[in-house]
Amino acid sequence: AIPPRGGGGNSTMLRTSLLVAFAASASCFAPASLPTLARRSTSTVSVRMQDNVAIPPLGRPKTSMFDGTWAGDAGFDPLAISGWLDPRWLREAELKNGRLAMLATAGAIAQDLFTFPGTVETFGTDKLTKLHDAAVKKGTLGQLLFWISLSEIVSTAAILQWYTQGSTRKPGFYGFDPLNLGQGKDAARMELAELKNGRLAMI
């Protein structure tokens, strides 16, 4: 492992804690069985959620994505994007980018904490952006491009099924949940946690 720099043990402990936190949030994917877009009746919509207003002078956005039934509804859409794009597509994009951001954040912390076999011999001791530049020069990012492209093909096919086959798949859910974190009574809490952690990671 890389010896602690400057801050000593406290620095290493902080980095390890951050790594564990982001890794846990990144694992919060979809339930094993694909949920549908069945919506709750208006009588069960959370009054508290409907009252959420991020920017008081602008009020709550008056679009279908802010009817109080979507997880993570904070009443924030100052550009009214949800009014001219499909809410399902918007939530799919938010979840996908949030998951990638959480993994990227965890990776940024991990490469600073650990030395993986072969990395020093291949890339030297560079970190973050310098490590990226070294990987570009070595041509090793091609493999990363392949796996990202593969995931995009799979997710694009699932999105097209909304419009061509009338799929009721819930946005962002692909039946991948090896730890069963999205099942049971904590499913709603875990869904909200994934959204919040994903938004934080993107920032």
Side-chain angles (χ1 to χ4, degrees):
I2 297 176
R5 296 173 293 180
N10 291 335
S11 177
T12 300
M13 183 179 297
L14 174 61
R15 292 172 180 170
T16 304
S17 300
L18 288 172
L19 175 62
V20 171
F22 279 111
S25 62
S27 67
C28 178
F29 287 103
S33 58
L34 297 181
T36 65
L37 283 170
R39 310 296 289 276
R40 295 174 298 199
S41 65
T42 54
S43 62
T44 61
V45 173
S46 168
V47 175
R48 179 182 176 185
M49 187 173 289
Q50 286 186 319
D51 290 341
N52 286 341
V53 179
I55 306 177
L58 298 181
R60 272 184 66 81
K62 301 184 184 305
T63 66
S64 61
M65 199 168 189
F66 292 91
D67 60 2
T69 63
W70 291 83
D73 179 356
F76 180 80
D77 186 14
L79 300 180
I81 295 176
S82 59
W84 50 276
L85 288 175
D86 188 337
R88 297 174 300 176
W89 186 87
L90 289 172
R91 176 49 54 89
E92 184 93 9
E94 180 179 25
L95 283 169
K96 180 188 296 183
N97 285 281
R99 289 165 179 169
L100 287 175
M102 286 188 283
L103 290 172
T105 303
I109 298 172
Q111 59 83 40
D112 196 40
L113 285 174
F114 310 106
T115 299
F116 298 97
T119 55
V120 174
E121 294 81 1
T122 306
F123 305 110
T125 57
D126 291 332
K127 301 294 181 182
L128 291 178
T129 55
K130 288 185 178 180
L131 177 58
H132 168 271
D133 295 342
V136 170
K137 291 179 180 179
K138 293 285 185 179
T140 54
L141 288 184
Q143 181 179 174
L144 181 62
L145 177 61
F146 169 78
W147 289 110
I148 291 177
S149 299
L150 183 62
S151 67
E152 284 296 316
I153 291 172
V154 172
S155 61
T156 299
I159 292 173
L160 290 177
Q161 288 178 350
W162 282 335
Y163 305 106
T164 61
Q165 301 178 19
S167 171
T168 58
R169 179 185 64 86
K170 194 172 181 179
F173 290 77
Y174 294 93
F176 178 77
D177 184 18
L179 300 180
N180 295 322
L181 296 176
Q183 298 185 16
K185 61 182 181 180
D186 289 334
R189 183 180 66 84
M190 296 302 288
E191 182 180 358
L192 180 60
E194 181 183 26
L195 279 165
K196 287 187 173 182
N197 283 282
R199 290 168 179 173
L200 177 61
M202 285 189 284
I203 293 175

